[in-house]
Amino acid sequence: MTSSNFPSDDSVGGTSRRALLRALTTAPIAVPLIASPWGEALADLHDHHGDSPAALVRTRTGRSLSRFRYHNAESFYQGLGHGLYYNDGGEMIYRSGIVAQLALSSHLLDVGFADEWNARHIRLDVAKSLAHANATGFGHDCPDMARLAAILSPYWKWGHAHRIDAPLPDNGGFTVDEVRLLLRALLDRVHDVTGHRRPNGWRREQRDARS
């Protein structure tokens, strides 16, 4: 499973993704969602969750934070890629939640969501992050990733401190290798859509993980 399985979604409703993001960057005020090809999908999500509307405004600060989140996601993935949590399924799922949320946050920040809005309304809900990402041109309509995102949400429930004297939540039957492949595809999609460069040493890490 690779990122090539998913469309690039460079054109949204007749408007190129690049042109739309450029408009969100240069607009002096928040671009009304109704004027965006993503407006209807986001309005439906806001209504469903009872959230206040998000104003999408791209900034250099947001772009920089987006890159930082993507690189952090790749960093957290390294332990999973090297198989460090094969003997602790709960910790593996918990770490997977961190990777997925960081990766999806990178996309949301890149298209103009404010980090404060994400913290208030999305929090640690990976499934909600994925839904908002796909509503704004992420184009990662992978049923298995959607199912994993639902299992991960909210990912704090998989943390060690919350598992003391308590049974593990249902992991949906996912194996470690299946989770790794799904997260690798998610990270590759973030890289492709945002255009962020790979972190330093990424290729070496990939070789080491395969060896």
Side-chain angles (χ1 to χ4, degrees):
M1 184 183 303
T2 65
S3 59
S4 62
N5 295 116
F6 306 99
S8 64
D9 199 23
D10 288 333
S11 179
V12 184
T15 302
S16 75
R17 183 179 186 278
R18 182 173 299 177
L20 179 56
L21 293 182
R22 185 162 54 245
L24 291 173
T25 303
T26 58
I29 58 174
V31 176
L33 291 180
I34 194 65
S36 159
W38 305 328
E40 184 176 351
L42 283 177
D44 288 344
L45 282 173
H46 295 157
D47 289 344
H48 176 73
H49 293 288
D51 293 336
S52 60
L56 304 190
V57 182
R58 298 187 84 216
T59 65
R60 290 184 178 180
T61 299
R63 174 72 176 170
S64 177
L65 184 56
S66 168
R67 182 174 59 251
F68 179 75
R69 294 279 171 84
Y70 164 62
H71 287 179
N72 267 0
E74 289 281 8
S75 179
F76 270 95
Y77 178 80
Q78 288 177 13
L80 296 169
H82 287 288
L84 297 184
Y85 309 107
Y86 264 100
N87 297 322
D88 189 343
E91 187 67 16
M92 184 272 293
I93 295 291
Y94 175 63
R95 297 274 176 163
S96 298
I98 295 174
V99 171
Q101 193 73 332
L102 285 169
L104 292 166
S105 172
S106 174
H107 167 80
L108 295 177
L109 290 165
D110 187 51
V111 298
F113 281 90
D115 199 34
E116 294 79 7
W117 190 94
N118 294 338
R120 183 181 308 114
H121 295 290
I122 293 181
R123 299 183 294 278
L124 305 181
D125 191 329
V126 180
K128 192 173 181 181
S129 287
L130 181 60
H132 280 75
N134 279 331
T136 50
F138 190 50
H140 196 69
D141 299 315
C142 171
D144 285 339
M145 185 62 231
R147 189 166 70 88
L148 177 61
I151 289 167
L152 294 174
S153 303
Y155 65 81
W156 60 259
K157 68 186 178 184
W158 293 94
H160 179 72
H162 300 282
R163 292 186 282 117
I164 297 175
D165 298 326
L168 279 175
D170 180 15
N171 68 2
F174 281 105
T175 67
V176 173
D177 288 336
E178 287 171 340
V179 171
R180 286 169 57 188
L181 286 173
L182 288 169
L183 292 178
R184 183 67 264 159
L186 183 72
L187 289 166
D188 289 345
R189 184 60 184 162
V190 172
H191 165 70
D192 291 343
V193 171
T194 64
H196 293 318
R197 63 173 177 79
R198 300 290 194 184
N200 294 335
W202 181 85
R203 294 187 184 281
R204 183 179 65 254
E205 284 293 336
Q206 295 304 299
R207 288 195 300 268
D208 291 346
R210 289 193 295 266
S211 62

